[in-house]
Amino acid sequence: MDFRRQSSLKPYPTSENHVFKSNNKNTSDGSKPSDHPTLPTSMAVSNGIFFTVFFSVTYFLLIRWREKIRNSTPLHVATMPELAAIILFIASFIYLIGFFGMCFVQASPYSDDDEEDEEIESVVNHETVSKEVDTRSTTFDCETTTAVVSEEDEAVIRDVVSGKTPSYSLESKLGDCKHAAFVRRVALERITGKSLEGLPLDGFDYESILGQCCEMPVGYVQIPVGIAGPMLLDGKEFMVPMATTEGCLVASTNRGCKAIYVSGGATSVLLKDGMTRAPVVRFGSAKRAAELKFFLEEPLNFETFASVFNKSSRFGGSNESNVQLQGKIFTQDYLQLDFPDMDILGISGNYCSDKKPAAVNWIEGRGKSVVCEAIISEQVVKKVLKTTVASLVELNMLKNLAGSAMAGALGGFNAHASNIVSAVYIATGQDPAQNIESSHCITMMEAVNQGRDLHVSVTMPSIEVGTVGGGTQLASQSACLNLLGVKGANKESAGSNARQLAKVVAASVLAGELSLMSAIAAGQLVKSHMKYNRSGKDIAGKA
């Protein structure tokens, strides 16, 4: 069903197909009638005289007739002053009737075309006002469009507003995801009394998010996507998509990509690949809990357990078990059949640790553990990065290492790794909440080749990315993955696309760290943010 606004109004005339007519255009006799009838000075004087005469003689005659009635004098017997007053009364009356009558019947200075223009303008203005006061208006795209609510939709909307129909059931009730989003949106505006104008609804595949990405949608948020690159990584070129609203972030990362590219590119190493999950279970005693710990630490027992676990998924398998005991409660990969007295409290005991800062991820890693490095020549440092090798090495030691240590940072020994991780994650459909542990990074810089060149590296032990399922299958995010050449599953080598994406993330962080640190060392940071990350409109307004 098409919910776009339908209107019987003709398109508003444009300069191409309609010439707006001036009210002061020439008439057939060459004269130029004014916008409104105006009175010459002499006519104004004449009107004043006749008005004075009219009311004066009227007053005089009324006084004279009242005296005749009191004195029983016949009214038709008139003296010379009375006759003169009657003549002046008639003359002034005729003049005034003629003057005002001429004004009433005078031709309008507007032609039929002008009246048509006025009618169109009136309709457009009325439509604009209606948009402002109608709280049930709905926008389908960036432009304001008043939605037409059918009688059937009106009934459903009333049920949602009253609570009779749950909002979450609209998809199944209406059988159309976009239709459900539209009805839910209008109902929300009526319930809250707030307009959702500016939040687009049209142009999105709501079927694609049903049951896996987002519930009860009322629209979607637009985030601009910029491109940094080419990034030369392991001999291959990548154009890196970054979704962000922070000015100069893409530009800075792009500068880092350039510095790496002209210096011969970056290299990366995948140190570890494995996602952790730690259910929490409980036994009746600490002794019994310890028995399970010892059981799992036996290599033969773990191999038996792993073989059973690996049959449950074609995408993953169990390759390590780390049991942590706290009294009679511990977290581990459970074995319910071998220990029937084990009480499973939850699928996650937070030892994983997912979407939370934790030393275990910083030390042992989670997801993909990647190291990425590059050697930037002295000439590139000076010409592209506008600083020196010595300045970068000193700044990195004092800022990223000493400063972060003083702050008690947990995995935060870097300048702004989370900036790049978040931007790439949003663009490629990753879980933005996993930016917390995925941004764990230590940035190292040192002078090499007799102090002439710069060796820069980032070590990121817990990059959590995927290329299958979730937000990766949405059209926009899928396009960004396709740009990187890592869309979907790799049929030849399972998981290789996700591993490649993790390396691209690390290389992008390397570029971002290199550029930002150079900007700080060269005193360019404030200047660049003032230029790219400030609204020119605000500055103009204040000026």
Side-chain angles (χ1 to χ4, degrees):
M1 185 178 292
D2 188 2
F3 294 99
R4 290 173 296 180
R5 175 180 171 273
Q6 298 178 358
S7 173
S8 60
L9 291 177
K10 297 179 181 179
Y12 194 82
T14 64
S15 59
E16 295 179 357
N17 57 18
H18 187 89
V19 179
F20 288 98
K21 302 176 181 58
S22 171
N23 291 335
N24 293 325
K25 55 182 171 289
N26 294 338
T27 59
S28 59
D29 60 357
S31 63
K32 295 181 179 180
S34 59
D35 291 348
H36 300 283
T38 57
L39 298 176
T41 304
S42 59
M43 185 175 292
V45 174
S46 300
N47 289 341
I49 294 174
F50 277 96
F51 267 103
T52 303
V53 171
F54 176 81
F55 288 108
S56 298
V57 297
T58 301
Y59 178 78
F60 173 78
L61 291 173
L62 288 175
I63 295 297
R64 293 295 297 167
W65 290 340
R66 185 179 64 175
E67 291 177 355
K68 286 185 177 183
I69 292 172
R70 288 179 178 177
N71 299 329
S72 300
T73 303
L75 295 179
H76 63 277
V77 178
T79 63
M80 289 301 294
E82 291 174 348
L83 288 174
I86 292 173
I87 293 173
L88 290 174
F89 172 83
I90 296 174
S92 62
F93 180 79
I94 293 174
Y95 174 86
L96 294 176
I97 288 295
F99 175 79
F100 285 108
M102 178 181 66
C103 292
F104 291 145
V105 301
Q106 184 178 10
S108 171
Y110 302 99
S111 66
D112 293 340
D113 290 337
D114 295 327
E115 292 176 355
E116 181 181 354
D117 292 346
E118 271 195 325
E119 182 180 359
I120 293 174
E121 184 178 0
S122 175
V123 172
V124 172
N125 291 338
H126 175 71
E127 184 178 349
T128 303
V129 173
S130 299
K131 290 176 184 177
E132 296 176 354
V133 302
D134 186 5
T135 59
R136 294 177 293 179
S137 63
T138 303
T139 55
F140 281 134
D141 49 32
C142 297
E143 298 179 358
T144 303
T145 305
T146 304
V148 175
V149 180
S150 64
E151 293 182 3
E152 294 80 2
D153 288 344
E154 187 65 40
V156 178
I157 292 170
R158 285 197 298 266
D159 288 344
V160 174
V161 172
S162 65
K164 183 178 180 181
T165 298
S167 179
Y168 62 79
S169 67
L170 289 175
E171 278 76 10
S172 59
K173 179 181 179 65
L174 300 175
D176 186 320
C177 292
K178 182 180 178 182
H179 188 183
F182 163 71
V183 171
R184 181 181 296 113
R185 181 191 185 101
V186 177
L188 179 63
E189 288 184 325
R190 295 188 187 181
I191 292 172
T192 62
K194 302 292 192 304
S195 173
L196 290 178
E197 180 179 341
L199 181 68
L201 178 69
D202 202 17
F204 188 81
D205 182 10
Y206 293 92
E207 304 286 343
S208 64
I209 65 173
L210 182 63
Q212 57 181 343
C213 288
C214 181
E215 298 75 43
M216 296 185 287
V218 294
Y220 60 97
V221 174
Q222 297 169 310
I223 301 178
V225 177
I227 296 296
M231 163 63 71
L232 184 58
L233 173 64
D234 300 325
K236 299 180 181 179
E237 293 185 8
F238 297 91
M239 302 300 293
V240 184
M242 302 176 66
T244 181
T245 56
E246 180 179 350
C248 76
L249 177 61
V250 178
S252 177
T253 307
N254 188 65
R255 184 176 74 150
C257 289
K258 178 181 179 181
I260 294 171
Y261 192 100
V262 297
S263 295
T267 57
S268 63
V269 179
L270 184 73
L271 302 176
K272 187 177 181 181
D273 183 11
M275 182 60 65
T276 60
R277 179 55 66 192
V280 57
V281 301
R282 177 176 58 193
F283 283 95
S285 65
K287 180 180 179 182
R288 184 60 173 158
E291 289 177 0
L292 177 58
K293 173 180 170 65
F294 299 145
F295 176 84
L296 287 174
E297 288 176 350
E298 288 290 333
L300 184 60
N301 291 338
F302 176 74
E303 289 178 5
T304 302
F305 162 71
S307 64
V308 175
F309 178 85
N310 293 346
K311 295 179 182 179
S312 64
S313 173
R314 65 188 181 92
F315 293 106
S318 177
N319 54 24
E320 184 179 346
S321 177
N322 186 357
V323 182
Q324 299 296 321
L325 180 66
Q326 297 219 352
K328 60 180 182 176
I329 301 176
F330 65 92
T331 58
Q332 54 87 52
D333 294 315
Y334 63 89
L335 288 172
Q336 184 73 53
L337 296 178
D338 296 277
F339 291 83
D341 57 333
M342 181 172 62
D343 184 13
I344 302 175
L345 301 180
I347 192 174
S348 176
N350 269 8
Y351 183 68
C352 312
S353 172
D354 188 36
K355 304 176 183 177
K356 292 167 284 292
V360 66
N361 291 337
W362 174 240
I363 297 171
E364 298 186 0
R366 187 170 194 258
K368 277 73 174 169
S369 299
V370 181
V371 175
C372 190
E373 63 182 345
I375 295 179
I376 312 300
S377 67
E378 180 183 24
Q379 184 179 9
V380 173
V381 171
K382 290 181 178 180
K383 291 188 175 182
V384 178
L385 302 177
K386 311 299 182 183
T387 185
T388 64
V389 172
S391 297
L392 283 173
V393 172
E394 182 181 29
L395 178 63
N396 186 73
M397 179 187 66
L398 296 177
K399 171 182 170 62
N400 288 341
L401 303 183
S404 296
M406 292 176 63
L410 180 60
F413 296 87
N414 57 81
H416 70 148
S418 62
N419 249 341
I420 290 85
V421 172
S422 293
V424 177
Y425 270 29
I426 295 173
T428 58
Q430 309 303 310
D431 188 344
Q434 290 184 321
N435 170 67
I436 295 176
E437 62 266 36
S438 295
S439 295
H440 283 179
C441 171
I442 181 169
T443 300
M444 300 292 293
M445 293 184 182
E446 63 175 310
V448 294
N449 300 329
Q450 289 78 46
R452 295 191 304 271
D453 302 330
L454 175 72
H455 179 274
V456 56
S457 68
V458 292
T459 302
M460 304 180 69
S462 50
I463 300 177
E464 300 166 350
V465 292
T467 61
V468 178
T472 65
Q473 50 82 39
L474 298 179
S476 301
Q477 291 81 344
S478 180
C480 291
L481 289 171
N482 187 59
L483 178 65
L484 291 170
V486 295
K487 177 182 176 181
N490 190 306
K491 298 180 180 179
E492 298 178 357
S493 177
S496 62
N497 281 356
R499 289 190 288 271
Q500 181 62 70
L501 179 58
K503 291 181 179 181
V504 170
V505 170
S508 302
V509 170
L510 181 70
E513 291 287 283
L514 186 60
S515 183
L516 176 59
M517 292 293 288
S518 298
I520 296 175
Q524 300 169 336
L525 181 62
V526 175
K527 182 179 179 180
S528 64
H529 273 269
M530 289 296 292
K531 181 178 180 180
Y532 295 105
N533 208 25
R534 285 290 188 94
S535 172
K537 295 180 180 179
D538 294 342
I539 295 175
K542 292 179 181 179

